[in-house]
Amino acid sequence: MSRKIPFFTTKKNKEIDVERVDNVPNHVAIIMDGNGRWAQKRGLPRIAGHKEGVSAVNKIVKAAVKADVKILTLYTFSTENWKRPKSEIDFILRLPKEFLHIYLPGLISNNVRINTIGDFDALPDHTKEAVQYAVDKTKSNDGLLLNFALNYGSRLEIIHAVKKIIHDIDESKLSIDSLDDKQFSQYLFTTDLSDPDLLIRTGGEKRLSNFMLWQLAYTEFCFSDVLWPDFNESNFLNALEDYKQRKRRYGGI
Ligand code: IPE
Ligand code: IPE
Ligand code: MG
């Protein structure tokens, strides 16, 4: 079965045929790693890798729309990334604005909804304003949910949840006995987002780097050596293909 999806263009008639892929993961999360090494390999400053990484984001968002993925979570900046030199941090945190300036119209016409997880308040004003604008502009879209993990750290998220739970117990809004994993999930930044079905980490490292520790409990993992700026649609489709072969048992048989 094939269908037509209008692509990231406002031009009419420009449609691309895609085969419907069976067993597509509902929620794909990506640790976009390897920007710095991509640049260093070319004798460029690390920030050149981050800039190139923005084009890769656009490519993979397009591929996710085409493949009919429902939620795409992108690890964009971690709570540990504040350890980097200030000049690199400043550069990275200007990229959401740049990305949205170029790609927001295309995202809107493709019915993409933008969301963020993480400690949003601690971001610079210019980052917050650009992202909030995009969130507001796309809030009634019901296509791909593009979820940026921005100043995100899983341990911070869990501690934040525990504090809120204690607060709600104190205020009698929650009873200790009713707390189960479903309810606990509601207190995380991801609230009612389903857990990722597939996690992809690019750049060759095989670790989670404080990413979605709770939500990845039963997620399928796919590690790629490709550095994020080089990661393309075909690499993404390979990961979806790999996912298709997995047998998810959730502890059963
Ligand atoms: C990932 O690329 C981007 C962020 C962490 C913001 P890196 O900057 O970590 O690139 P490498 O891992 O040093 O190559
Ligand atoms: C993880 O990459 C964070 C993001 C991709 C945003 P890092 O490059 O920060 O991870 P480590 O330091 O190698 O574990
Ligand atoms: Mg890295």
Side-chain angles (χ1 to χ4, degrees), residues 27-41:
H27 183 173
V28 178
I30 307 183
I31 302 176
M32 308 183 287
D33 196 22
N35 294 351
R37 279 164 286 159
W38 183 93
Q40 275 159 355
K41 260 174 55 181

PDB file of all heavy atoms in Angstrom, residues 27-41:
ATOM      1  N   HIS A  27       6.896   6.181  19.032  1.00  0.00           N
ATOM      2  CA  HIS A  27       7.726   7.246  19.611  1.00  0.00           C
ATOM      3  C   HIS A  27       9.205   6.892  19.406  1.00  0.00           C
ATOM      4  O   HIS A  27       9.676   5.869  19.898  1.00  0.00           O
ATOM      5  CB  HIS A  27       7.391   7.371  21.110  1.00  0.00           C
ATOM      6  CG  HIS A  27       8.116   8.476  21.807  1.00  0.00           C
ATOM      7  ND1 HIS A  27       7.835   8.821  23.113  1.00  0.00           N
ATOM      8  CD2 HIS A  27       9.098   9.331  21.407  1.00  0.00           C
ATOM      9  CE1 HIS A  27       8.614   9.834  23.483  1.00  0.00           C
ATOM     10  NE2 HIS A  27       9.405  10.144  22.468  1.00  0.00           N
ATOM     11  N   VAL A  28       9.910   7.733  18.678  1.00  0.00           N
ATOM     12  CA  VAL A  28      11.349   7.549  18.481  1.00  0.00           C
ATOM     13  C   VAL A  28      12.071   8.669  19.235  1.00  0.00           C
ATOM     14  O   VAL A  28      11.716   9.842  19.108  1.00  0.00           O
ATOM     15  CB  VAL A  28      11.724   7.619  16.980  1.00  0.00           C
ATOM     16  CG1 VAL A  28      13.238   7.475  16.793  1.00  0.00           C
ATOM     17  CG2 VAL A  28      10.994   6.544  16.186  1.00  0.00           C
ATOM     18  N   ALA A  29      13.066   8.294  20.035  1.00  0.00           N
ATOM     19  CA  ALA A  29      13.875   9.281  20.747  1.00  0.00           C
ATOM     20  C   ALA A  29      15.306   9.182  20.210  1.00  0.00           C
ATOM     21  O   ALA A  29      15.789   8.078  19.939  1.00  0.00           O
ATOM     22  CB  ALA A  29      13.848   9.011  22.245  1.00  0.00           C
ATOM     23  N   ILE A  30      15.948  10.323  20.043  1.00  0.00           N
ATOM     24  CA  ILE A  30      17.312  10.302  19.483  1.00  0.00           C
ATOM     25  C   ILE A  30      18.277  11.115  20.345  1.00  0.00           C
ATOM     26  O   ILE A  30      18.006  12.264  20.693  1.00  0.00           O
ATOM     27  CB  ILE A  30      17.350  10.865  18.036  1.00  0.00           C
ATOM     28  CG1 ILE A  30      16.319  10.155  17.141  1.00  0.00           C
ATOM     29  CG2 ILE A  30      18.750  10.736  17.443  1.00  0.00           C
ATOM     30  CD1 ILE A  30      16.351  10.599  15.676  1.00  0.00           C
ATOM     31  N   ILE A  31      19.406  10.479  20.680  1.00  0.00           N
ATOM     32  CA  ILE A  31      20.527  11.189  21.296  1.00  0.00           C
ATOM     33  C   ILE A  31      21.427  11.604  20.134  1.00  0.00           C
ATOM     34  O   ILE A  31      22.124  10.775  19.537  1.00  0.00           O
ATOM     35  CB  ILE A  31      21.275  10.290  22.313  1.00  0.00           C
ATOM     36  CG1 ILE A  31      20.321   9.798  23.411  1.00  0.00           C
ATOM     37  CG2 ILE A  31      22.467  11.052  22.921  1.00  0.00           C
ATOM     38  CD1 ILE A  31      20.931   8.816  24.415  1.00  0.00           C
ATOM     39  N   MET A  32      21.352  12.874  19.799  1.00  0.00           N
ATOM     40  CA  MET A  32      22.040  13.379  18.594  1.00  0.00           C
ATOM     41  C   MET A  32      23.481  13.701  18.977  1.00  0.00           C
ATOM     42  O   MET A  32      23.787  14.815  19.384  1.00  0.00           O
ATOM     43  CB  MET A  32      21.336  14.648  18.094  1.00  0.00           C
ATOM     44  CG  MET A  32      19.834  14.500  17.904  1.00  0.00           C
ATOM     45  SD  MET A  32      19.075  15.993  17.225  1.00  0.00           S
ATOM     46  CE  MET A  32      19.124  17.111  18.628  1.00  0.00           C
ATOM     47  N   ASP A  33      24.371  12.719  18.849  1.00  0.00           N
ATOM     48  CA  ASP A  33      25.743  12.911  19.338  1.00  0.00           C
ATOM     49  C   ASP A  33      26.751  12.857  18.189  1.00  0.00           C
ATOM     50  O   ASP A  33      26.533  12.167  17.193  1.00  0.00           O
ATOM     51  CB  ASP A  33      26.056  11.832  20.382  1.00  0.00           C
ATOM     52  CG  ASP A  33      27.280  12.178  21.212  1.00  0.00           C
ATOM     53  OD1 ASP A  33      27.641  13.371  21.294  1.00  0.00           O
ATOM     54  OD2 ASP A  33      27.887  11.246  21.775  1.00  0.00           O
ATOM     55  N   GLY A  34      27.853  13.576  18.367  1.00  0.00           N
ATOM     56  CA  GLY A  34      28.957  13.491  17.407  1.00  0.00           C
ATOM     57  C   GLY A  34      29.211  14.764  16.613  1.00  0.00           C
ATOM     58  O   GLY A  34      30.043  14.769  15.696  1.00  0.00           O
ATOM     59  N   ASN A  35      28.555  15.848  16.985  1.00  0.00           N
ATOM     60  CA  ASN A  35      28.759  17.113  16.255  1.00  0.00           C
ATOM     61  C   ASN A  35      30.203  17.614  16.348  1.00  0.00           C
ATOM     62  O   ASN A  35      30.796  18.028  15.353  1.00  0.00           O
ATOM     63  CB  ASN A  35      27.854  18.216  16.826  1.00  0.00           C
ATOM     64  CG  ASN A  35      26.384  17.942  16.590  1.00  0.00           C
ATOM     65  OD1 ASN A  35      26.036  17.019  15.860  1.00  0.00           O
ATOM     66  ND2 ASN A  35      25.529  18.732  17.212  1.00  0.00           N
ATOM     67  N   GLY A  36      30.742  17.559  17.564  1.00  0.00           N
ATOM     68  CA  GLY A  36      32.095  18.076  17.788  1.00  0.00           C
ATOM     69  C   GLY A  36      33.125  17.277  16.998  1.00  0.00           C
ATOM     70  O   GLY A  36      34.005  17.850  16.336  1.00  0.00           O
ATOM     71  N   ARG A  37      32.995  15.952  17.041  1.00  0.00           N
ATOM     72  CA  ARG A  37      33.947  15.096  16.315  1.00  0.00           C
ATOM     73  C   ARG A  37      33.815  15.275  14.806  1.00  0.00           C
ATOM     74  O   ARG A  37      34.800  15.245  14.079  1.00  0.00           O
ATOM     75  CB  ARG A  37      33.739  13.622  16.714  1.00  0.00           C
ATOM     76  CG  ARG A  37      34.424  13.276  18.038  1.00  0.00           C
ATOM     77  CD  ARG A  37      33.911  11.985  18.604  1.00  0.00           C
ATOM     78  NE  ARG A  37      32.579  12.156  19.168  1.00  0.00           N
ATOM     79  CZ  ARG A  37      31.723  11.163  19.378  1.00  0.00           C
ATOM     80  NH1 ARG A  37      32.060   9.932  19.042  1.00  0.00           N
ATOM     81  NH2 ARG A  37      30.559  11.405  19.910  1.00  0.00           N
ATOM     82  N   TRP A  38      32.598  15.493  14.344  1.00  0.00           N
ATOM     83  CA  TRP A  38      32.370  15.747  12.909  1.00  0.00           C
ATOM     84  C   TRP A  38      33.193  16.968  12.476  1.00  0.00           C
ATOM     85  O   TRP A  38      33.846  16.937  11.429  1.00  0.00           O
ATOM     86  CB  TRP A  38      30.878  15.988  12.655  1.00  0.00           C
ATOM     87  CG  TRP A  38      30.501  16.197  11.224  1.00  0.00           C
ATOM     88  CD1 TRP A  38      30.085  15.241  10.341  1.00  0.00           C
ATOM     89  CD2 TRP A  38      30.498  17.441  10.502  1.00  0.00           C
ATOM     90  NE1 TRP A  38      29.824  15.819   9.113  1.00  0.00           N
ATOM     91  CE2 TRP A  38      30.068  17.163   9.186  1.00  0.00           C
ATOM     92  CE3 TRP A  38      30.810  18.760  10.841  1.00  0.00           C
ATOM     93  CZ2 TRP A  38      29.941  18.144   8.203  1.00  0.00           C
ATOM     94  CZ3 TRP A  38      30.690  19.746   9.868  1.00  0.00           C
ATOM     95  CH2 TRP A  38      30.261  19.434   8.567  1.00  0.00           C
ATOM     96  N   ALA A  39      33.156  18.004  13.291  1.00  0.00           N
ATOM     97  CA  ALA A  39      33.882  19.235  12.953  1.00  0.00           C
ATOM     98  C   ALA A  39      35.394  19.026  13.075  1.00  0.00           C
ATOM     99  O   ALA A  39      36.169  19.403  12.177  1.00  0.00           O
ATOM    100  CB  ALA A  39      33.426  20.368  13.867  1.00  0.00           C
ATOM    101  N   GLN A  40      35.812  18.376  14.179  1.00  0.00           N
ATOM    102  CA  GLN A  40      37.251  18.172  14.413  1.00  0.00           C
ATOM    103  C   GLN A  40      37.890  17.375  13.280  1.00  0.00           C
ATOM    104  O   GLN A  40      39.003  17.684  12.857  1.00  0.00           O
ATOM    105  CB  GLN A  40      37.468  17.493  15.773  1.00  0.00           C
ATOM    106  CG  GLN A  40      37.500  18.509  16.904  1.00  0.00           C
ATOM    107  CD  GLN A  40      37.202  17.915  18.283  1.00  0.00           C
ATOM    108  OE1 GLN A  40      36.877  16.724  18.413  1.00  0.00           O
ATOM    109  NE2 GLN A  40      37.306  18.744  19.308  1.00  0.00           N
ATOM    110  N   LYS A  41      37.142  16.388  12.769  1.00  0.00           N
ATOM    111  CA  LYS A  41      37.651  15.569  11.657  1.00  0.00           C
ATOM    112  C   LYS A  41      37.948  16.410  10.423  1.00  0.00           C
ATOM    113  O   LYS A  41      38.759  16.040   9.573  1.00  0.00           O
ATOM    114  CB  LYS A  41      36.586  14.518  11.267  1.00  0.00           C
ATOM    115  CG  LYS A  41      36.852  13.157  11.843  1.00  0.00           C
ATOM    116  CD  LYS A  41      35.740  12.159  11.590  1.00  0.00           C
ATOM    117  CE  LYS A  41      35.351  11.980  10.130  1.00  0.00           C
ATOM    118  NZ  LYS A  41      34.245  10.996   9.967  1.00  0.00           N
TER     119      LYS A  41
END
